[in-house]
């Protein structure tokens, strides 16, 4: 299945199949009880999602939205869980995938623990460039989402992006 930028793969609270992201990037947004929307994750190629349902079914934690054109394979939840009961190699593959995601989250923690807001932004930009070549991070995320992802206010992100643009003109 092909998803284009802005299209929704699944919605928070629904239940359904699992998905293998073959190419592209997805963002996972979560709506809180007060209506606040928060970017909680970015899904990269070769991930199978939702992560919290890889071993047992659960409703979707957030809403998955395509950041760029994506190719997604739909995986039958019934077939997936039935195979896990009989295929221990598959369980190991899932453990390795979760380990990879944990390592990615460690990189995110590294981004968040930078003292300099400019360095936080630069590390995030480099990370995104490794998956999708965009001229500006603003092509795939809003300034609010960038700020949520690296622990900065939108105004700070705006100021840093403007400073980068001015530096590139020189």
């Amino acid at each position: 299945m092909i998803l284009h930028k802005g299209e929704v793969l699944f919605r928070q609270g629904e239940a359904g199949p699992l998905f293998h992201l073959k190419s592209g990037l997805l963002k996972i947004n979560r709506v809180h009880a007060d209506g606040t929307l928060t970017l909680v994750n970015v899904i990269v190629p070769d991930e199978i999602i939702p992560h919290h349902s890889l071993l047992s079914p659960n409703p979707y934690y957030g809403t998955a939205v395509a950041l760029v054109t994506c190719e997604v394979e739909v995986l039958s939840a019934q077939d997936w869980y039935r195979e896990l009961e009989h295929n221990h190699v598959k369980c190991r593959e899932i453990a390795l995938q979760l380990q990879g995601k944990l390592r990615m989250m460690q990189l995110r923690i590294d981004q968040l623990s930078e003292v300099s807001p400019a360095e936080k932004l630069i590390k995030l930009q480099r990370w995104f460039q490794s998956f999708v070549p965009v001229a500006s991070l603003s092509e795939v995320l809003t300034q609010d989402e960038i700020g949520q992802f690296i622990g900065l206010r939108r105004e700070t992100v705006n100021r840093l992006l403007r400073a980068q643009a001015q530096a590139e003109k020189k």
Side-chain angles (χ1 to χ4, degrees), residues 72-116:
V72 180
E73 177 185 4
V74 180
L75 306 173
S76 162
Q78 184 178 7
D79 293 345
W80 178 268
Y81 297 121
R82 184 176 31 248
E83 185 177 354
L84 285 181
E85 289 184 25
H86 305 290
N87 186 344
H88 299 289
V89 172
K90 184 98 171 167
C91 292
R92 184 174 191 285
E93 289 172 7
I94 291 169
L96 289 171
Q97 179 188 348
L98 292 172
Q99 175 182 278
K101 191 61 178 183
L102 179 59
R103 287 182 177 151
M104 182 185 294
M105 298 313 284
Q106 289 171 324
L107 288 173
R108 292 255 340 271
I109 291 167
D110 188 40
Q111 292 168 353
L112 288 169
S113 63
E114 276 295 333
V115 175
S116 159

Side-chain angles (χ1 to χ4, degrees), residues 12-23:
Q12 178 177 329
E14 294 177 348
L18 289 95
F19 302 93
H20 174 216
L21 181 61
K22 294 181 141 210
S23 65

